[in-house]
């Protein structure tokens, strides 16, 4: 089974001072690099969808496969379709959709979700303490159906799929680090850029994951604007 993780990183990040894909998470890794590592540990191939600031995101993540959503401004579903087309063309049996501003996801959670996915047009969505989260896990049939959905917004398009909510014990599935206030609450500093690729991997002082803090200390969110 070939699983492809699509990391949605095309948005404008209006509330942050920097592109979200480039913001430091932990250990000197960017949000995007941290997620790519997590999905890789779960046995997934990784594909990032970029748009705004695509050139600098590519420059800071050499070796990571990326596709560009040229009409990313039109809505999240546009970015999703761009990623789905590339993933399906690459022979994906399962596709996982995940926003770049939710980097605290656990690889063990991904492995558990992948064991549950079937071959129908069913959509698996993890939930933490009854709050719907990410990633969205789609069989190839479900991914094909979503790829042909009309409109520009993702949530309405998901209603055409058979939803299956999966309770998990991972707060990372519901936490968006998408505002300066949330970032500072978690890491103790204002949002900052991750160091260049050659300098990553050295742990910086004060870095903490959402999993270290626990779900009750951070805001939950069911959706993301990338």
């Amino acid at each position: 089974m070939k699983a492809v993780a699509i990391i949605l990183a095309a948005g404008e990040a209006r509330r942050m001072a920097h592109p979200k894909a480039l913001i430091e998470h932990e250990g000197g890794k960017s949000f995007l690099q941290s997620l790519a590592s997590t999905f890789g540990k779960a046995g997934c191939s990784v594909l990032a969808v970029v748009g705004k600031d695509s050139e600098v995101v590519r420059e800071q993540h050499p070796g990571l496969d990326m596709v560009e959503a040229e009409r990313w401004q039109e809505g999240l579903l546009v970015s999703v379709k761009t990623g789905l087309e590339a993933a399906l063309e690459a022979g994906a049996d399962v596709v996982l959709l995940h926003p770049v501003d939710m980097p605290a996801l656990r690889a063990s959670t991904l492995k558990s979700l992948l064991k549950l996915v079937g071959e129908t047009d069913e959509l698996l969505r993890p939930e933490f303490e009854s709050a719907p989260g990410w990633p969205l896990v789609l069989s190839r049939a479900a991914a094909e159906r979503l790829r042909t959905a009309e409109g520009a917004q993702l949530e309405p398009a998901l209603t055409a799929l058979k939803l299956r909510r999966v309770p998990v014990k991972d707060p990372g599935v519901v936490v968006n680090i998408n505002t300066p206030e949330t970032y500072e609450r978690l890491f103790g500093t204002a949002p900052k850029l991750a160091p260049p690729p050659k300098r990553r991997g050295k742990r910086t002082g004060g870095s903490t994951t959402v999993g270290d803090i626990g779900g009750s200390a951070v805001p939950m969110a069911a959706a993301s604007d990338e």
Side-chain angles (χ1 to χ4, degrees), residues 132-148:
W134 297 78
L136 307 181
V137 185
L138 302 93
S139 65
R140 185 177 180 90
E144 291 277 13
R145 190 166 182 177
L146 184 59
R147 185 175 64 89
T148 60

Side-chain angles (χ1 to χ4, degrees), residues 47-120:
L47 178 68
V49 180
V50 295
K52 174 72 173 175
D53 302 305
S54 61
E55 290 186 8
V56 66
V57 174
R58 289 179 184 275
E59 180 181 344
Q60 293 297 308
H61 298 88
L64 183 61
D65 289 337
M66 300 187 189
V67 291
E68 187 160 353
E70 296 180 356
R71 298 183 293 111
W72 62 267
Q73 305 97 323
E74 296 179 14
L76 183 56
L77 186 56
V78 174
S79 295
V80 168
K81 287 182 177 181
T82 300
L84 288 176
E85 289 174 1
L88 293 171
E89 184 176 338
D93 300 302
V94 179
V95 175
L96 302 90
L97 300 174
H98 196 77
V100 75
D101 56 10
M102 301 179 72
L105 187 68
R106 299 172 186 167
S108 58
T109 300
L110 297 173
K111 292 177 181 179
S112 297
L113 290 170
L114 287 170
K115 290 180 181 179
L116 298 175
V117 68
E119 296 181 359
T120 66

Side-chain angles (χ1 to χ4, degrees), residues 88-216:
L88 293 171
E89 184 176 338
D93 300 302
V94 179
V95 175
L96 302 90
L97 300 174
H98 196 77
V100 75
D101 56 10
M102 301 179 72
L105 187 68
R106 299 172 186 167
S108 58
T109 300
L110 297 173
K111 292 177 181 179
S112 297
L113 290 170
L114 287 170
K115 290 180 181 179
L116 298 175
V117 68
E119 296 181 359
T120 66
D121 60 353
E122 185 177 60
L123 162 68
L124 299 184
R125 188 163 202 173
E127 63 175 39
F128 177 76
E129 296 183 350
S130 299
W134 297 78
L136 307 181
V137 185
L138 302 93
S139 65
R140 185 177 180 90
E144 291 277 13
R145 190 166 182 177
L146 184 59
R147 185 175 64 89
T148 60
E150 298 182 355
Q153 301 306 315
L154 178 60
E155 292 294 337
L158 296 178
T159 61
L161 303 177
K162 298 175 182 178
L163 174 63
R164 180 182 176 189
R165 297 270 286 266
V166 182
V168 299
K169 296 181 179 180
D170 180 0
V173 305
V174 296
V175 178
N176 285 353
I177 309 177
N178 62 355
T179 68
E181 293 78 15
T182 301
Y183 187 95
E184 187 165 359
R185 192 181 313 153
L186 292 173
F187 299 101
T189 67
K192 58 183 178 180
L193 291 173
K198 291 183 180 180
R199 293 175 52 197
R200 291 177 187 165
K202 296 181 179 180
R203 190 170 183 85
T204 55
S207 293
T208 310
T209 66
V210 173
D212 294 331
I213 296 173
S216 61

